[in-house]
Each structure stands twice: as C-alpha cells, then as structure tokens.
Amino acid sequence: MSEQSAARSVYESGTIGDMIVTLLDRYPDRIAFIDGERRFTYAETRDAISRAIQQLRALGLKRGDTVVQLSGNRPEVFFVTAAIYLLGLRSVTLQAMGGIEDHAYILGHAETRLMLADSAYAERTRALRGRLPSIPHWYLHDAGGELPGFWEEAARFAPAPLPSEAGAEDVIRLAYTGGTTGRPKGVMLPGRAVMTQTLLLMAGRAWSDGVRLLCPTPISHGAGATLIPVLWRGGTVILQKGFDPDRFLDAMEEHGANATFLVPTMVYKLLDHPRTRRTDFSRMETLMYGAAPMSPARIREGLEVFGPVLQQGYGQTEAPSAILTLSRQDHLDADERILSSAGKPYPGIAVQLLDESDRPVPQGEVGEICVRGPLVMAGYLKQPELTAEVLRNGWLHTGDMAYQDARGFFFIVDRKKDMVISGGFNVYPKQVEDVLTTHPAVSAAAVIGVPHPTWGEAVKAVIVCRPGRSASAEELTRYVKERLGSVPAPKSVDFVEGLPLTVLGKPDKKALRAPYWEGRSRAVS
C-alpha cells in the first residue's frame, strides 16, 4: 500500500455524511442556527436536511450530479449542502459578488443539474437560465415570480432518517477558484478531503463546548468549513449577511458570541471603528482570521484590543483551510517575529519547501510550499494536464513562496505571481506591506510591480490611511528604505479610500496591476 493510500484509508471507515448524521442527533433541542429572527434547533435542522434530500431525489438527481447555489448567509445553504454530501452529489457555491460571465462558465463547466438561488439573486438567476437552457432545474430558496420555491415543494415530504451514501473518494464538492489568472478552475474535493478538513479544524482550532460562532463571512465559502466543528460541539451559528462593524458588535453583545471568523480587511475595519475600543470583548475566546495575510502591526493592535484570542489559518482551495496554523499561544510568543509567520502544519499534514526541481531547500531559504496528505484535492475538473503539473511527484504545489526558521515556523514571502522583479532583484510585496502597515498613518497597503523602461518593473504602493491620519509619498518611501533598503522601497505611492477586493475579500492585485500592464506581459505569471 502506498503512503498516500495508507493515509487515505484512515478515513474510509467514516465519512462527512456519517458525521453530520451523528451530530444532529446529539443535541436535538439546542439552537443550531440563528438567522435574524429565525431559529433552527438541531432537530429542525435534521428535518430540513431530510426534506432537501427527498426533494433532490424527486427532481431525479443521482450520485455525481451537480447542484449549484448562489446565496447570501442563510441556514438553508447548509441544509442543502449537507443533503448533497449525504447523497454523493456535487456541491458548487458561486461567489455572490462574481460576474455573470464567470457564473455562466461555472454552471456549464460543472454540468449543472440544479441551480438554487437566494431571492436576492433572482434577476441573475433568470439571466443565467436564459443563457443555459439545457440545465433542467432552476429554483429559488423562496418562491418568486416564475421561479419555483425549493422549500415550498420540499415541505410536502415528511422527515425521514438521514442516509449516508457517499464514499470517501466520491467528489462531493467542486470549489471553483477565483479566476484571477484566467478561467475559474474546478477543484475536485472528495469526501476524504472534506472529512480531513473538518477533523483538522476540530483538532487545530480552539473550540469550547456550546461555542457561539458569529459569522458575517460567507458560509458558501471559507467560513462554511467552521460549521460542522461548531455543531459537533453543540454550538450555535449566528449568521449575518455581510460585515458591518456596528451590526457585528450589536450581534456579539446580543447573542453572547465567543468565536468568529473574519478576513483581515474586516479586522482592520473593526480596529478602525471608534466604537470597538468601548466594547467589552471579555467573552470572546477565539477570533480566527484567514483568506489573506494580516499585517503584524495590526495583529499586535488586535491583541491589545481583543485580547489573547487571535488564531490564523492558512490553506488554499486545493487543500482547504488547514495547511498551516498560528495558534492563540503562538500569537503570544516572546519573539514578536512570529506574528509574521503563517504558523506550523496542522496534525497529519506533510508540508515541505521545494525548489524548482522539487528538491527540499535548506532551512532559511525560500522555496514553494508543497503539501501532501488526504486533505489534498483529487485534481482539476476536465484539466488532466494542469492536474498532473500541480500534483507532480506526489506533492500539491501551492504557488506560495516561503522560508522556515529553526523553530519550524513557516514565513510566507508571497505568491509566485505577485513577486516583483526590479532590476534583476526579487521583491516580495508582503514584506514591503508589512513594513508600511507599521506606520501610524497606514491602515492597509498593497504593493505591486508596474512597468519601468530600465528596471523592468518598479515597486508601487497603494495606501489606505487610517481615519484622521495622513502621510506623504516621500515619507512612506523613506520609511521603507530605512528598514528594507532602496530596492524594495516604493518608487511611487497612490492613496485610495479603499483597496479593490476579490470576491473572497483579498486585495485584488490583478485589478490594481491591470491599468499599468494592459497590452504587456509580466515576467512573473
């Protein structure tokens, strides 16, 4: 038996579906979900999943068929996803802020059988139906106009015991990448990857019994991985549709939330909000952040404001959520350099830094983060050549560049494609951004390379200032030069009200670079 087969066999005796069935029967009378004025107990959640299963079967969906959802945060997204996992269908969740071209491409590429949307996206759904008439089933969660209501039809079924029919290697999730380097890629995640992700998050994050998770980030994407760990502990998920600092603080106080998952831009907004420092965070036990790197300066500020509750997670779509973690204890390390780290591997995941020939690099040198284990995807849908390249020699090649220190902490320097090559020197934007955000006037920073006739690329900084603060371009350039030298120092600085963000809440560097590189090609792809 190969090493990979041996690792996978651990998970073949139980599936994510088995886990869902078990947890729903443990706390039938507890509240599982809060959605505004709506409450769902664990028993009501189980019954809703049962009705969804029966509705999917009534529509003729069979193992391996694809169901696509387009929705904001609502419990029904989880109900349908759980039903998909139990039946061995394939779940696709569209990024709500994505464009219609990407949405149409994904629906066709995934060979969708059912499209199910929130009523807020009814217009987009009707437009997509006009483009893709071959898809047989189009529904809204709530009936609206000519589109039928999924739950209205599902209500005719009496709750029944939940089946668990998917195997460990059945692809139960197609997670499409953001499309920042071309067409979105369909990452095939089998049941063993979803199960591994769940177990690693349970083992590697700080959950208390009865945890109360405040969730403004989309459960259709990264935050969705936290739901089963929370429910396994008998906890409650408090859903919000989008992030607003005042609404977040109101809900935290009203519901006694003691855990949350935010992306760095949300943390920055919370830290910059005047009400935050008047708020009591003593109940908060864990503030998880991820999806993009967070500035060490702002991490230190977060520790002062929120307390010793910060925990970072690093992963990618192809190995979701659980590659590296910087624990709450790590955030309190006497060596503050650790705050620049992405942490250490989750238990059971092999992580190495490899060079371009897939050989391990010496300690302290930069290499590509490569991952092996049952968390890793099965491949890209309909892209065997790309799959073979990314999974060559048994390792998932993430495209993230990092070095490892003597204590085993990984320090990500940047994405390969974001590296700036200026005058033959490699400049890693994250290192420049980390310095810029230590300046008292800077709230957020993005660093990109722009064309230069002599150097090939020049370093440009795009800055968001803190409320009531300002700095000059010359001051910030000098600030970086004093700390990193002349090559990484910005040669130009733009000041903006806010950074453009991808649909996953990351700074959109492709959008920042686009005006400068139109009609040109970059050396770093």
Side-chain angles (χ1 to χ4, degrees), residues 319-402:
S321 303
I323 297 175
L324 303 172
T325 182
L326 196 70
S327 72
R328 291 186 305 184
Q329 190 60 41
D330 291 333
H331 278 81
L332 306 180
D333 197 277
D335 183 357
E336 284 201 347
R337 293 184 310 108
I338 298 303
L339 297 182
S340 300
S341 169
K344 296 183 179 181
Y346 277 88
I349 297 299
V351 182
Q352 282 199 4
L353 300 178
L354 303 181
D355 64 17
E356 292 186 355
S357 299
D358 285 345
R359 295 171 302 199
V361 301
Q363 184 188 100
E365 293 191 12
V366 173
E368 183 176 6
I369 297 177
C370 295
V371 183
R372 189 167 60 194
L375 178 70
V376 172
M377 67 173 180
Y380 295 113
L381 181 67
K382 303 177 184 176
Q383 293 185 281
E385 292 181 0
L386 181 59
T387 296
E389 171 62 20
V390 172
L391 296 180
R392 66 184 182 274
N393 296 326
W395 291 93
L396 168 68
H397 293 68
T398 68
D400 287 324
M401 308 302 290

Side-chain angles (χ1 to χ4, degrees), residues 436 444-448 460-464 492-496 498-500 512:
L436 285 166
V447 169
I448 60 172
K460 172 181 277 292
V462 184
I463 300 295
V464 178
S492 59
V493 180
D494 292 345
F495 294 92
V496 297
L499 297 174
L512 288 172

Side-chain angles (χ1 to χ4, degrees), residues 225-247:
T226 64
L227 301 191
I228 292 176
V230 166
L231 297 175
W232 187 267
R233 302 303 293 264
T236 299
V237 179
I238 305 147
L239 295 174
Q240 290 192 308
K241 293 176 174 65
F243 178 77
D244 172 82
D246 278 314
R247 288 195 300 108

Side-chain angles (χ1 to χ4, degrees), residues 397-411:
H397 293 68
T398 68
D400 287 324
M401 308 302 290
Y403 67 90
Q404 193 174 18
D405 72 4
R407 296 172 60 194
F409 287 95
F410 286 78
F411 293 78

